[in-house]
Amino acid sequence: MTEPQDVPEIPPYAEAVLDLTERIPPGRVMTYGDVAEYLGRGGPRQVGRVMAMYGGSVPWWRVIRADGRPLPGHEHRALPEYRAEGTPLRTVGGEPRVDLRAARWDGTP
């Protein structure tokens, strides 16, 4: 059994990214850059790193690339989530993408 002191602490920046991700409403998305801009620190790569390391427990599919494509390699997991939540999608070059004009969330409650 893992003792509380053996569990690594999540850095404050990662906590902020995860908290914001949990607040994105179903059917809406933010880009990695949107998250960084909203938090006022870091950048898209830092947000991506946080999501890669800690994002499994939050609705990770709601944080996407700036071109609207689901996370490469995770499309088969993200697309059913988008469809279940009613996230606006469009087709570009035969592949589904999130329609950012309709789905982008600005952080307003």
Side-chain angles (χ1 to χ4, degrees), residues 14 18 31 34 42-43 50 57 59 65 70 72 80 93 95 100-101 104-105 109:
L18 298 175
T31 67
D34 291 340
V50 168
S57 64
R65 297 164 47 131
E95 68 179 43
L100 282 173
R101 288 185 183 181
R104 188 176 241 156
W105 186 59

Side-chain angles (χ1 to χ4, degrees), residues 10-40:
I10 296 176
Y13 182 73
E15 287 281 359
V17 169
L18 298 175
D19 178 61
L20 179 57
T21 300
E22 288 181 324
R23 291 188 290 139
I24 300 171
R28 305 297 298 273
V29 298
M30 292 181 95
T31 67
Y32 294 102
D34 291 340
V35 171
E37 184 177 328
Y38 183 88
L39 296 175

Side-chain angles (χ1 to χ4, degrees), residues 85-101:
E85 293 183 353
T87 306
L89 298 173
R90 60 191 181 100
T91 302
V92 176
E95 68 179 43
R97 295 186 187 194
V98 172
D99 183 346
L100 282 173
R101 288 185 183 181

Side-chain angles (χ1 to χ4, degrees), residues 34-54:
D34 291 340
V35 171
E37 184 177 328
Y38 183 88
L39 296 175
R41 58 187 186 212
R45 290 180 188 264
Q46 289 80 12
V47 172
R49 180 83 174 139
V50 168
M51 296 303 291
M53 293 181 70
Y54 306 107

